[in-house]
Amino acid sequence: MASLLHSRDRRERVRWTGEDALTRLALPAGLDASLGLDAVGVPARYGFRVLSRLPAKGAVFADSDWWWWIVPDGSDLDLTWPLPACYAPGGLVPDRAPRLVHRPDGSSPYTPPIPLYLLTCQLTGIAPAWTAPPEVPSAL
């Protein structure tokens, strides 16, 4: 099975190893991806649990091995997504014929990334971790 390695450095964002060809998740007509399109994947064994526990859900794709949630571009900035979750910039995922399994009610394809991140941390037993923004000196 191919695995995704995610670097904290966005210049070297994603590498798939193995023989998988890649495909870009394609949104159905009527969904506006004006904030860019990245995806967060979890192994299929977590798919239904994540879907059922999220208060707001965007477009979700699935294949036999992974479920993918559409998130805005840059949803990995200052976050360390817990393994075994995978972050896929540009919605570029292994081509295992992912299909749409959840269409959002509105025109936005996005799942809010912070609730998705916190739920993923909870399910994997990993404490949330993100980089704090630098302190801004107060004006006197």
Side-chain angles (χ1 to χ4, degrees), residues 17-103:
T17 58
E19 301 301 319
D20 285 319
L22 299 177
T23 189
R24 192 171 311 280
L25 297 173
L27 295 177
L31 295 181
D32 177 27
S34 59
L35 299 176
L37 188 150
D38 288 351
V40 174
V42 298
R45 69 181 177 269
Y46 294 118
F48 282 114
R49 290 192 333 195
V50 172
L51 187 64
S52 67
R53 293 179 181 180
L54 283 171
K57 305 163 192 74
V60 181
F61 293 82
D63 59 45
S64 60
D65 297 321
W66 291 91
W67 283 48
W68 299 97
W69 277 258
I70 301 300
V71 295
D73 181 34
S75 294
D76 62 335
L77 293 176
D78 299 327
L79 289 178
T80 302
W81 287 86
L83 292 176
C86 299
Y87 193 84
L92 196 61
V93 301
D95 190 1
R96 298 181 191 136
R99 68 194 185 292
L100 186 70
V101 295
H102 181 269
R103 182 184 176 104

Side-chain angles (χ1 to χ4, degrees), residues 33 96 107 110:
R96 298 181 191 136
S107 63
Y110 304 115

